[in-house]
Amino acid sequence: MSNNREAEIIEAVNKFEELLRTQIERNENIKNQPKENKEFKVIGICDGDGIGPTITNSARKVLDVLLQGEDIEIKEIKGFNIENRLEAGETVPADILAEIKKCDVLLKGPTTTPSSESSTPNLESANVFLRKTLDLYANLRPVIIPEKKIDWTFFRENTEGEYALGSQGIEIKDSLAFDFKVTTEEGTKRIARLAFEYAKANGKKKVSIITKANIMKKTDGKFLKLCKEVGSEYPEISVDSWYVDIMAANLINDEINKDFEVLILPNLYGDIITDEAAQLQGGVGTAGSANIGNGFAMFEAIHGSAPRMVEEGLTEYANPSSILRAVVMMLRHIGYASKAILLEHALDGASSEGIIVTGLPSGRKCEEITNYILKNIK
Ligand code: IPM
Ligand code: MG
């Protein structure tokens, strides 16, 4: 073995030790975290990349109407885009992060993540960075398909799993690459607790835990065990567990898919399964996503910045429904439930009246559905 290879191995082992210690400390910090009782006074809005400015502009117009006269400030945070991020060499430039932290909640347009093949492969996803930095541990993604009697609420763990160290893997030149998956006890218990509390508060009868614990024995094994333990404190709720592969099949099995209500998933499975679920609802352009922490919360569309749509000149056909569904969740979160319902009904009305945006010229434009909604929330 060459000296170089030997040095690389030692460097990797040292790095692993550091990662291990940091994650153990993170687990301790979660345990000691106080619950904040937050007042919501400032909503930040960032428009992001690609179709982001188009769909967040729609959300802004809707918010202006819904929150007119209310004691709440809407603050636009400018410049959170891939050009500035690349120039600063930072996932979220420090000045923008400081602005975000001054708000109580954030409505975030989609941001582009450089892929591992780009010239800046190490710039982390802005979503993932914000979720971790602001400790937004729960990713709530509701999917409702009334005609199939489907009403699912996904609780995706949002700070751990494959994402915890997603940009900190190890590579040994000409040999192999290693990524890490992390499941902490405290991180799992808090997402499980939130899901069961949600189920209880919303009259849900069943919570399903989704893992691949037959293969990822340590991480998913711990996730499954702890979720079940938390679930045992809720005798009125039935708990079952499924492997993620069969769950992907179950969601498209009309014999049983309406039986699922609340689902808890580790990060990566939650990412994948919620895209599948959103597609069943009408496409990823139709689903909202809430990233909830102890105090701060961030709301966004479930999808990315759709650079392909921009390249193909289709930006004006971008569907704002997903970010508007996120606005519904945000309004509920900050205590404006009746305004949330108003917007929800307008969105439901748009689809039942055939104001459908497909992302293509065959469908309506972003502006058309926005105008329909503005008319129907007054
Ligand atoms: C999501 C997205 C993100 C994720 C990307 C943009 C990093 O797919 O919010 O589901 O993987 O979590
Ligand atoms: Mg995703």
Side-chain angles (χ1 to χ4, degrees):
M1 199 179 289
S2 76
N3 278 345
N4 265 354
R5 169 68 50 87
E6 199 50 35
E8 270 186 274
I9 293 172
I10 290 169
E11 195 186 324
V13 171
N14 288 341
K15 183 168 170 193
F16 180 58
E17 179 180 350
E18 191 192 313
L19 294 176
L20 192 58
R21 290 186 187 282
T22 317
Q23 292 301 311
I24 291 171
E25 197 184 321
R26 197 172 64 79
N27 183 57
E28 287 303 310
N29 291 343
I30 298 173
K31 198 183 331 189
N32 301 325
Q33 210 167 45
K35 173 101 188 103
E36 274 182 54
N37 259 336
K38 207 168 176 69
E39 252 201 288
F40 299 104
K41 289 281 169 228
V42 186
I43 300 173
I45 301 193
C46 302
D47 59 4
D49 301 304
I51 60 168
T54 305
I55 60 171
T56 38
N57 180 40
S58 163
R60 173 72 205 246
K61 286 185 181 158
V62 167
L63 275 174
D64 281 344
V65 170
L66 285 174
L67 294 176
Q68 199 177 16
E70 299 293 339
D71 179 22
I72 193 146
E73 184 192 344
I74 301 178
K75 197 165 141 190
E76 232 165 88
I77 300 171
K78 295 213 184 296
F80 187 18
N81 55 41
I82 188 75
E83 293 79 18
N84 288 344
R85 290 162 56 212
L86 289 177
E87 198 187 309
E90 285 177 291
T91 300
V92 179
D95 54 334
I96 289 179
L97 184 60
E99 286 302 307
I100 291 175
K101 284 184 174 170
K102 283 186 206 153
C103 306
D104 300 312
V105 290
L106 179 70
L107 184 68
K108 179 186 156 295
T111 39
T112 298
T113 306
S115 81
S116 60
E117 284 128 27
S118 81
S119 56
T120 47
N122 291 326
L123 203 67
E124 198 182 9
S125 143
N127 297 38
V128 175
F129 175 90
L130 287 172
R131 290 168 186 166
K132 288 198 292 197
T133 305
L134 304 169
D135 202 20
L136 309 175
Y137 65 89
N139 191 185
L140 252 80
R141 296 184 159 178
V143 166
I144 298 172
I145 312 171
E147 62 278 18
K148 291 193 167 178
K149 298 193 166 52
I150 285 173
D151 186 347
W152 298 324
T153 310
F154 295 92
F155 280 78
R156 167 188 179 192
E157 200 295 319
N158 214 20
T159 49
E160 314 204 327
E162 305 75 0
Y163 285 64
L165 301 170
S167 302
Q168 297 184 68
I170 284 170
E171 199 162 351
I172 303 290
K173 221 183 277 149
D174 303 324
S175 180
L176 56 76
F178 236 92
D179 276 320
F180 301 103
K181 168 161 172 162
V182 183
T183 298
T184 69
E185 300 234 343
E186 297 302 325
T188 305
K189 284 193 276 189
R190 66 179 177 175
I191 183 78
R193 178 77 54 205
L194 201 70
F196 279 102
E197 282 297 315
Y198 171 89
K200 189 174 155 186
N202 290 279
K204 307 283 182 191
K205 298 276 173 293
K206 182 168 133 119
V207 172
S208 305
I209 308 160
I210 317 303
T211 66
K212 189 75 184 173
N214 51 340
I215 300 301
M216 303 304 291
K217 292 193 193 296
K218 293 285 183 235
T219 47
D220 283 3
K222 187 179 281 300
F223 192 90
L224 179 58
K225 175 173 163 281
L226 291 171
C227 287
K228 279 185 175 164
E229 269 173 33
V230 172
S232 69
E233 294 173 36
Y234 298 79
E236 70 280 23
I237 296 169
S238 81
V239 180
D240 61 10
S241 61
W242 300 83
Y243 294 137
V244 63
D245 48 352
I246 193 63
M247 198 61 203
N250 288 345
L251 292 192
I252 51 172
N253 179 349
D254 288 342
E255 297 288 312
I256 58 169
N257 54 13
K258 58 184 153 315
D259 299 338
F260 297 108
E261 295 182 52
V262 174
L263 302 95
I264 316 178
L265 309 94
N267 211 338
L268 183 60
Y269 311 147
D271 178 43
I272 297 166
I273 289 288
T274 55
D275 264 16
E276 183 193 359
Q279 187 58 39
L280 292 169
Q281 179 182 254
V284 291
T286 66
S289 171
N291 302 269
I292 312 284
N294 264 339
F296 199 87
M298 174 173 88
F299 299 82
E300 59 187 349
I302 198 176
H303 55 76
S305 59
R308 234 176 313 195
M309 280 187 76
V310 179
E311 270 164 40
E312 290 170 16
L314 296 172
T315 309
E316 61 185 338
Y317 296 98
N319 193 352
S321 304
S322 182
I323 200 155
L324 292 173
R325 292 280 174 194
V327 170
V328 171
M329 297 173 91
M330 181 174 81
L331 289 170
R332 228 174 236 133
H333 187 79
I334 63 177
Y336 292 102
S338 59
K339 292 176 191 293
I341 292 169
L342 202 61
L343 177 55
E344 201 163 40
H345 285 169
L347 281 159
D348 293 344
S351 58
S352 56
E353 285 188 32
I355 319 279
I356 309 285
V357 187
T358 59
L360 294 167
S362 57
R364 303 295 189 103
K365 291 183 180 169
C366 179
E367 196 182 354
E368 288 176 78
I369 188 168
T370 307
N371 288 340
Y372 171 92
I373 286 173
L374 290 172
K375 239 187 358 215
N376 284 278
I377 53 173
K378 293 226 167 95

